[in-house]
Structure formats: C-alpha cells, structure tokens
Amino acid sequence: MSVIYQTWPWYVAGFLIGMVMLSLIYFGKNFGMSTNLQSLCSMTGLGKRIEYFDFDWKANRWNFVVVLGAMAGGFVAVHFMSDPTNVAINPKTIELLSQMGIDAPNGQLMPQALFGEQIWESPKSILILLGGGILIGFGTRYAGGCTSGHAISGLSNLQLPSLKAVIGFFIGGLIMAHFLLPLLF
Amino acid sequence: MNTLKYFLVGFLFGIVLTKSEAVSWYRIYEMFQFQSFHMYGIIGVAVATGIIGIQIIKRKNIKDIDGFPIEIQEKPRDNARYWIGGISFGLGWALVGSCPGPIFILIGAGFMPVVIVLIGALIGTVIYGALKSKLPH
C-alpha cells in the first residue's frame, strides 16, 4: 500500500491525466481549466459591461463540478495520502533555492518562503502572489488556454497554435525562473 | 450520475496532480531549471496518451456518451495572442508555481495563500476581457 503514499511516477500520472482529458471528450466536453476563470467572472454579472463575459456561463456548470472534484481530490491526497518522502527534488535545485533564501521541501508541496502563514503580514509576498495570479489569468485568457487546454488537449489534437502557446509558456517560465526570481528573492 | 461523473473525473485529476506533485511550486521550479525529467515525463506521457486516444476516436468515429459525433474544436489560427499570452502565462506559472487547475486543487487542499493567486487570476481575466478588442490577436 505504500505506493499510494509515495510520489507517483511520471508515467502513471501522465497516463491518468491523458485519460482525464479523453474522458471529458467522451462526455462531449473539453478539458480546459482556465475557462472556469472566465465563467467565474461572468457569474458576477460582468457581462453587462464587458462583452467577453456576456455568455451563458451556466452551460459551463459541468466544468465547475470538475473543479469541485479536483479540490476534493487535492484535499484527500494532501491529508490522507502523503508521507515525508514526498517532493524529493534534485539536491542541486535545493542548493539554488537556498541561495535565494527559499526553504527546502522536506516533504511539503509549497515553500514557506512564498506560501507560509507569515506572508499575510508581508505586502511584498502578497504582491508577488497577486502579480503572479494576474499574469496567469491575463496570459491564459489571451492565449485561449493554459496547461490543460493547450499543452495537453491542444498538443494531443496536433494543433500548431497550441505549440506556439506552449513555447510561449516556456519562454516566460525560463525568463522568470532564471532571471526574475533571483531579483525578487 | 450525470453530475457525479464530472465530479469523479475532477477528483481523479486532483489526486493525480497532487500525488505526482505537478501542483508543487518546487516541481515547476525544478522543471524550468532542467534539473529533473519528472514534469517533462508527465506532460509527455499525457500528450502521447491523448494523441493515441484522439486518433482512435477520429478513425473509428466513436460517438460520445450521448450518442453524438465527437467534434474536437480547432484552435484559432492566430499568432500574437499565443506568443504574448503564452509568455505572460509562463512568467506567472514560474513565479507562483501553479497553473489554473492546481490553483483550485491547492485551495481545496487547504493552502489559503493560493486564494491570493486566484484573486489575481480573476483580475487578470477581467483585464483581458476589458482590453480584448484593443489587443493584437
């Protein structure tokens, strides 16, 4: 039984994520998490002011149910399926992080430096999380999809536009990880 | 059952992304430092599974659960939106270590600071919605 507590191997995870996408296609839907951001905004009535949000968000209610399931899955996995051997990243990565003052995982998914309780008292930390969120929300809606919609669904359907988007994701990610993060920490 | 199947697919997605640590800030940073194959393996196998599955669906004309033909939307043939939007997304992804799926999964798992990321993502969505007609696509 210990296999369920350990880090799941990439080939198991990759296969199951592919099956999640195919299941949604079989249900007559498509796999795209960032569409929920647009639906959430539309729910608030923004469609009266901004055309982009003027659509029938209720048609996307199934996707909110997927999100609720995913949240429950995250809760179960973190609280009942974890052990201290988790998040065993490369020691060289830990070394790079320590140069920026970011703590090693020690079995935790998220670094205290960015997601610890102390961030509520640090305007800089809050701005980093808020700014990261804005870049994600703006970027994914501009590009018309995120990791699920472009990297998984789009590439699986051999869509050239999705390849452009994924290359864009990596250009942005590499700039952040190599040049901007060291300036911020 | 109609609603339950979406919940179950989401539940599996949440467990898999958490147990493979694709929701972890550390794994995303490690990926962008090219110091592990793990994330590349996950994305690669997911896409390979998807390509095979979609080819089978197309060649065998498999119908969906309600008996309708399966149509998979083509992405618009634009340029600027993919490069500019993609780079913006990537900058955020590497900064806070989570894309939209993991944002929800992590909040469900109880990581409350991720709520700030979600608020940011909604603000970013509104900014895009408001500027859409003025942006190159």
Side-chain angles (χ1 to χ4, degrees):
Chain A
M1 281 304 279
S2 72
V3 289
I4 71 160
Y5 299 103
Q6 291 160 6
T7 302
W8 288 11
W10 50 267
Y11 44 90
V12 173
F15 174 73
L16 290 173
I17 294 168
M19 293 310 289
V20 162
M21 182 203 71
L22 292 170
S23 302
L24 291 175
I25 290 177
Y26 178 64
F27 296 158
K29 311 295 183 194
N30 47 59
F31 182 41
M33 283 292 129
S34 60
T35 310
N36 293 303
L37 298 172
Q38 190 185 0
S39 303
L40 279 172
C41 293
S42 177
M43 258 173 90
T44 64
L46 265 175
K48 292 193 192 92
R49 290 159 172 250
I50 302 173
E51 195 194 345
Y52 182 64
F53 300 110
D54 186 15
F55 67 100
D56 178 24
W57 62 267
K58 286 180 182 161
N60 289 334
R61 267 187 299 200
W62 65 271
N63 213 342
F64 287 142
V65 180
V66 175
V67 166
L68 283 179
M71 293 174 79
F75 182 84
V76 169
V78 164
H79 293 274
F80 305 108
M81 298 168 68
S82 296
D83 79 19
T85 66
N86 293 166
V87 203
I89 56 172
N90 190 329
K92 287 183 198 151
T93 310
I94 294 179
E95 176 61 33
L96 280 174
L97 289 172
S98 75
Q99 288 166 13
M100 294 191 290
I102 297 177
D103 46 302
N106 295 315
Q108 300 299 313
L109 288 170
M110 311 295 273
Q112 288 294 312
L114 276 109
F115 297 92
E117 284 303 315
Q118 82 290 347
I119 66 115
W120 300 109
E121 283 149 36
S122 157
K124 182 189 162 191
S125 301
I126 291 176
L127 279 177
I128 285 176
L129 296 183
L130 196 67
I134 291 174
L135 287 166
I136 289 170
F138 175 78
T140 179
R141 291 295 77 211
Y142 194 176
C146 59
T147 334
S148 51
H150 276 310
I152 311 288
S153 308
L155 292 185
S156 290
N157 195 26
L158 308 174
Q159 297 287 299
L160 187 61
S162 294
L163 185 62
K164 293 176 191 169
V166 173
I167 294 171
F169 297 168
F170 272 84
I171 294 172
L174 291 172
I175 292 170
M176 178 56 69
H178 290 264
F179 304 113
L180 301 180
L181 268 182
L183 299 176
L184 288 167
F185 287 92
Chain B
M1 186 56 209
N2 216 359
T3 305
L4 183 67
K5 64 178 186 279
Y6 295 114
F7 187 86
L8 291 177
V9 165
F11 188 72
L12 175 69
F13 182 59
I15 291 207
V16 172
L17 254 66
T18 309
K19 284 312 298 168
S20 62
E21 296 158 5
V23 300
S24 167
W25 186 92
Y26 290 110
R27 289 291 183 192
I28 305 302
Y29 181 75
E30 185 188 45
M31 169 180 79
F32 284 126
Q33 294 293 342
F34 301 108
Q35 286 173 332
S36 171
F37 178 73
H38 188 73
M39 288 302 304
Y40 296 100
I42 293 176
I43 298 171
V45 173
V47 171
T49 306
I51 289 175
I52 295 168
I54 289 179
Q55 287 303 316
I56 293 174
I57 289 170
K58 284 185 175 171
R59 286 173 198 208
K60 304 214 161 185
N61 279 320
I62 292 177
K63 303 278 190 284
D64 73 13
I65 198 167
D66 300 313
F68 294 111
I70 290 176
E71 281 174 38
I72 305 169
Q73 280 177 347
E74 307 269 313
K75 306 279 181 192
R77 292 188 173 200
D78 298 333
N79 255 314
R81 66 183 303 174
Y82 299 118
W83 297 115
I84 307 170
I87 289 170
S88 162
F89 175 82
L91 288 167
W93 189 20
L95 178 57
V96 295
S98 35
C99 36
I103 288 175
F104 293 112
I105 295 171
L106 288 165
I107 292 172
F111 293 95
M112 282 307 123
V114 182
V115 173
I116 304 173
V117 180
L118 176 61
I119 293 170
L122 291 171
I123 295 172
T125 303
V126 174
I127 294 173
Y128 171 69
L131 298 180
K132 189 181 175 196
S133 58
K134 299 185 182 70
L135 293 168
H137 280 80

